[in-house]
Every structure is written in structure tokens, then in C-alpha cells.
Amino acid sequence: QEPFKTHPTTYRGRMDNSVASTLYLKADRDGPVRRRHPWVMSGSVSHVTNDPQPGDTVKVVSATGDELGLASYSPFSTIRARMWTFDPSARVDDAFVTELLERSIARRAWYPGLESTARLVFGDADGLPGLVVDRYGEVVVMQITTVGIERWRDVIADVLFAIPEIDCVYERSDGDDRKREGLDERVGIARGRLPDEVHARENGFTFAVDVASGHKTGFYIDQRGARMLIPQLSNGARVLNVFGYTGSFSVIAARNGASSVTTIDSSAPSLELAKLNARINDTDIGELIVGDAGEQLRRLRDRRAEFDLIILDPPKFAPTQKNLDRASRAYKDVNLLGAKLLAPGGRLLTFSCSGAVSADLFQKIVAGAALDAKRSMSIVQRLGQPVDHPVLLSYPESEYLKGMLLQAH
């Protein structure tokens, strides 16, 4: 069985987004598109013909008249257009969008372990700008954040609902990205019926997923690789899990012989979910602390607490470049405190999920934190996105997750 291959579709010709407008680039501003970067920034646009509406398909043309491809148009966004294809003779219609979606889903079938829980679509990296789709067993959750994808919402929902064994397509089209595109939020069932319980299953563990009100689509699938490290790091260790959310790291550590586990999160409902996940996996995750991460880390420092394994997986501190300075300070602060709480020989597993923070910058921030903490530390392993979160070579922004496993001397 090919678990992610959709049934034969019947979505052909139901909708046509014919090209009626042309977007002309400024002179010498066509380089990114020629290098197959999927974004056309507003500052690169010379003019647009025929007053295209949000989500309309436009032909992208250089200042010298070269036709470079087709894109969806967004008059309200700094990203003025997002490339559908670099073939100007293509036709963006139901069949085109369906084929892109089916290809993305089928690619995940190449890799073992993704039959139940996986990211089926990863936005621009899969050629579907502004669409994320995550699978949790018989439920798929879709998140639409751009006007270009919004135009094809019903087609996408139908294709997802046709995946074998899928009983529900749930929509989590919310957040600031939609506001920037001039779109209202939409949360709820798109197709089928939502079961009473939704679970993410991976490597022998089962985690409850709150698709209706949890972070993003309900679970951080992208940390699969990091979770696989926890069994070998946690046996006999005093473990501190900061920004714990669903408690997945804590549950795995407790099940693999941690001598103690402490979990910190600012959200009481998240820690209730962590307790539920502990029960589901027949374990006790120990101390749960509701509060601001920085404040709680300082309290632990003042108590001279020590831990053998510390996990720092904060939220996105830098959504955009303009937040970079503030985010750098925030990353340094939590890593400084983490370094001070680390026992001799202990390990620090630290992450940034901010696309605006490069791997090089993140390493410099953590190095500065270790220096200020007067700790000598080595990078034991680098971590990143799993196979279902591919990085498009022409779109380096798709590499957002950076992680390092560090060991104190």
C-alpha cells in the first residue's frame, strides 16, 4: 500500500485562474526569479497591468521583456507575488494545483516511518506557497496563509480528503501571516468528522494532539530527529525541558530512565496536555512548572540547581528580519541561563526555529552565551529539519530549524 497516494481525482477543469495581468520587474531586479527563488518582493515590481485581484495569476516579465513564469498576486503583502511555476506557458488550474499537491504527498511515501505522522506539504519548498499540511493518523490539518493558495482551498481540501484512511480535513488558517495577506482567520472542519481523540505516533510513542487550539497544527513534527536522541541522553540524567509544550521530550526522557524530569512552559493548558501524554505513555514526567522561561531559569540558577540534560526549544523569537536584534538577545539570555545550570559533562540541546536567524548567527549567539557563563562547551552534533521538511536549494529561507547538541567540559 502507498499510504499517501491519493485516489484518482475528478477535480479537472472546475476552476481556471487564467492569466489576464502581467507583472513587470524593475531593471536589474530579476535575478532572484531567474535563480528560481519563489518570491517577488514589492520593491522589485515596476508595474502591473489590468489591476489583478488578490490571488489572481500573473505573468512575471523582466524589464527586457523575458517571460519568467507565473505567480499568484498579493497586493497587500511585501511579498507581492509568489511563483507557481517558472514555465510561462503553463496553465494554473485545478489540474495544475492537484498535481503539485499529489506530488508532494507521494514524495513522503519514499521514507519509512511517515505513514502515520508527517508533514505532507511544506509550503514554497514543495511548490505550494503558503500551504502547510500535517497528518496525524486519520486526520490531516491544513494551514493556508496566502491569497494564492486561498483561491484553491476547496480543491486542496478535496484532494486531502481523498487520501486513503483519512476521515477528517481540519483547517487551521490563522495567525499573523494571513493578516498580512488581507485574509480573515478560518478554523474548523473542512471535510469529514473530527474524532474525539487525535494522536501523533512516532518511534513507539503516542502523543495527544490538540488540532483545534494547539500551537501551529497541534504538534511539532519537525523535532522528530531530536526526539530520537533523547533515549541515549536521558538514562540516569537530571533532565530540564524548557518551553515544554506537549511534553514530548519529557515523556521520552522519563520512559528512558531519567533520574528526574522538570518541565517549564508558560501555558498551563500545555502542561495539562503534557500530563495527558505521560499517562498515555504510562510514565511520570515529574515536576511541571507554569511560568515565564527566563524567570523560572533564574530561580533555578539562584537555587544552584544542576541538570545533566537541558532542552531549550523556544518559540520563533524572530518572525522577520526586523525582529533580529531583539531575538538575538532573547536567544542569548536563555542559553546563558541554560549553560549556568548545566552540570560538568552535561549536555545542552538548543534550538532556533527563526528563519531570520542563520545557523552561523545562532552558533555565535550560543558561543557568546557560553563565554558569558564562563563555560567551555563543544558542539557534539548539529540538528535540523527531518525529511518531510525539505529545504529547497533555490529557497534557503526554507531552512528554518537549527539545533545543536552541546557538551560541557
Side-chain angles (χ1 to χ4, degrees):
Q1 182 186 12
E2 297 181 49
F4 297 150
K5 186 174 182 179
T6 58
H7 295 306
T9 53
T10 57
Y11 312 118
R12 313 307 186 203
R14 224 174 37 202
M15 185 174 185
D16 180 13
N17 206 15
S18 299
V19 180
S21 303
T22 301
L23 183 153
Y24 288 91
L25 298 172
K26 293 177 180 177
D28 300 322
R29 299 299 292 271
D30 56 0
V33 177
R34 290 188 185 278
R35 293 191 294 272
R36 292 181 168 253
H37 193 285
W39 295 352
V40 177
M41 308 305 293
S42 59
S44 299
V45 178
S46 170
H47 63 283
V48 185
T49 66
N50 296 332
D51 189 28
Q53 298 305 297
D56 280 357
T57 298
V58 297
K59 183 170 289 186
V60 179
V61 177
S62 73
T64 57
D66 294 334
E67 297 183 351
L68 304 178
L70 304 178
S72 63
Y73 185 70
S74 178
F76 307 116
S77 174
T78 303
I79 305 173
R80 191 54 45 89
R82 297 172 187 262
M83 300 300 297
W84 279 117
T85 175
F86 298 93
D87 176 6
S89 67
R91 186 182 185 91
V92 178
D93 57 12
D94 284 9
F96 177 89
V97 174
T98 297
E99 183 177 1
L100 282 176
L101 186 55
E102 290 181 340
R103 282 184 186 175
S104 180
I105 295 167
R107 275 195 288 271
R108 274 62 180 179
W110 279 77
Y111 304 102
L114 303 184
E115 293 79 14
S116 174
T117 303
R119 174 150 293 183
L120 302 184
V121 180
F122 182 41
D124 298 83
D126 281 310
L128 289 153
L131 177 65
V132 165
V133 179
D134 289 339
R135 177 175 184 167
Y136 305 111
E138 68 271 30
V139 176
V140 290
V141 184
M142 69 177 186
Q143 187 169 59
I144 295 171
T145 57
T146 62
V147 290
I149 291 293
E150 182 79 8
R151 178 69 63 91
W152 308 98
R153 174 184 179 270
D154 287 336
V155 172
I156 292 165
D158 287 346
V159 173
L160 296 176
F161 197 49
I163 298 173
E165 302 178 6
I166 291 300
D167 296 329
C168 178
V169 178
Y170 197 87
E171 185 168 10
R172 280 295 304 273
S173 296
D174 51 4
D176 292 339
D177 288 339
R178 276 184 74 86
K179 295 176 184 176
R180 284 191 283 269
E181 292 272 312
L183 295 170
D184 294 330
E185 294 188 350
R186 189 191 300 110
V187 175
I189 296 171
R191 298 288 186 276
R193 176 187 172 276
L194 184 67
D196 294 335
E197 296 180 350
V198 181
H199 295 114
R201 293 181 171 86
E202 100 185 0
N203 300 315
F205 289 88
T206 299
F207 301 104
V209 180
D210 182 358
V211 299
S213 56
H215 298 177
K216 303 295 185 181
T217 67
F219 188 71
Y220 291 132
I221 295 175
D222 57 1
Q223 288 290 23
R224 182 188 306 112
R227 284 188 287 268
M228 291 176 67
L229 291 177
I230 300 302
Q232 69 193 71
L233 300 174
S234 57
N235 187 28
R238 297 163 292 177
V239 177
L240 174 63
N241 180 16
V242 190
F243 310 100
Y245 186 37
T246 60
S248 58
F249 286 120
S250 301
V251 168
I252 297 171
R255 275 274 300 271
N256 283 276
S259 63
S260 67
V261 180
T262 301
T263 307
I264 299 173
D265 198 275
S266 61
S267 167
S270 290
L271 292 184
E272 287 299 316
L273 192 57
K275 285 198 285 188
L276 172 60
N277 283 327
R279 291 196 296 272
I280 290 172
N281 291 279
D282 194 26
T283 192
D284 180 356
I285 55 171
E287 185 180 18
L288 301 172
I289 301 174
V290 179
D292 174 77
E295 180 182 334
Q296 297 303 322
L297 288 171
R298 287 179 177 85
R299 288 184 178 181
L300 291 170
R301 176 201 61 191
D302 293 343
R303 284 165 35 194
R304 299 186 181 280
E306 276 192 342
F307 299 91
D308 305 299
L309 174 63
I310 299 176
I311 303 156
L312 300 176
D313 187 20
K316 187 187 295 184
F317 286 156
T320 62
Q321 282 291 139
K322 68 180 182 181
N323 308 114
L324 195 54
D325 288 343
R326 179 173 56 83
S328 296
R329 291 192 294 272
Y331 282 120
K332 183 172 182 180
D333 187 40
V334 296
N335 281 279
L336 170 62
L337 292 165
K340 288 185 175 182
L341 290 168
L342 205 58
R347 295 176 175 88
L348 175 65
L349 193 54
T350 184
F351 299 94
S352 165
C353 64
S354 298
V357 177
S358 68
D360 181 60
L361 175 58
F362 186 53
Q363 180 174 329
K364 289 177 180 176
I365 292 170
V366 176
L371 184 63
D372 288 355
K374 298 180 172 56
R375 301 298 300 270
S376 294
M377 304 177 74
S378 300
I379 299 173
V380 177
Q381 185 174 341
R382 298 184 186 276
L383 297 105
Q385 296 156 219
V387 293
D388 51 349
H389 292 65
V391 177
L392 189 64
L393 288 175
S394 59
Y395 175 52
E397 293 89 343
S398 53
E399 186 174 14
Y400 70 95
L401 183 62
K402 283 79 58 176
M404 292 182 288
L405 175 61
L406 304 161
Q407 185 162 23
H409 292 189

